[in-house]
Amino acid sequence: LTLFLLNFTSQGHSSFVTHLDWSADSQYIVTNSGDYEILFWEAASGKHLTSADTVRNLEWATSTCVLSFSVFGEWVLTPGAALVCSAPSHVYKGHSSHVTNVAFLHDDSHLISTGGKDMSILQWSVV
């Protein structure tokens, strides 16, 4: 694993690796980095894959990456699964850069979001 992580930063990511997941067939790896990149790799060779078509519909054995095809536009379910936070192609004024995480309050009345480069925490009313 150490060899792969060295390869990830020397041959692909321009920042530190934050998350790593394996495909169900153990043939592929997906990584996220500190600069919010999503990169895919052949597990056996460590070769960086540049075609998303190869990995777009793979089943993943693990799901720790916060950036992936499966989470684009959708963030979190409330504990009782009554609400879901999603991001269709609308622009809302708030964070000055990307959103890194969201969570509902215990009573589902508000949503808390954290920003990336702006490092802010915003509270949103659920309407």
Side-chain angles (χ1 to χ4, degrees):
L1 186 58
T2 303
L3 176 62
F4 276 119
L5 292 178
L6 290 174
N7 188 45
F8 292 154
T9 54
S10 66
Q11 301 294 320
H13 288 295
S14 55
S15 184
F16 54 92
V17 174
T18 59
H19 300 85
L20 179 146
D21 285 320
W22 290 87
S23 64
D25 63 4
S26 299
Q27 299 298 307
Y28 301 97
I29 298 171
V30 60
T31 55
N32 293 167
S33 64
D35 56 355
Y36 307 102
E37 288 181 309
I38 306 168
L39 295 181
F40 296 90
W41 311 85
E42 285 182 347
S45 67
K47 178 184 172 195
H48 175 221
L49 299 172
T50 57
S51 172
D53 292 335
T54 305
V55 293
R56 181 181 313 270
N57 296 314
L58 285 177
E59 180 182 345
W60 294 94
T62 57
S63 183
T64 63
C65 287
V66 294
L67 304 171
S68 70
F69 290 115
S70 64
V71 297
F72 284 157
E74 191 169 300
W75 285 89
V76 65
L77 289 170
T78 62
L83 299 173
V84 64
C85 175
S86 65
S89 55
H90 298 292
V91 176
Y92 300 100
K93 302 238 186 248
H95 294 287
S96 64
S97 71
H98 59 285
V99 174
T100 58
N101 205 350
V102 297
F104 286 97
L105 293 185
H106 71 285
D107 63 357
D108 297 337
S109 64
H110 291 81
L111 179 79
I112 306 298
S113 61
T114 57
K117 292 185 180 180
D118 64 18
M119 295 189 289
S120 63
I121 300 171
L122 299 179
Q123 178 176 296
W124 305 84
S125 294
V126 174
V127 292

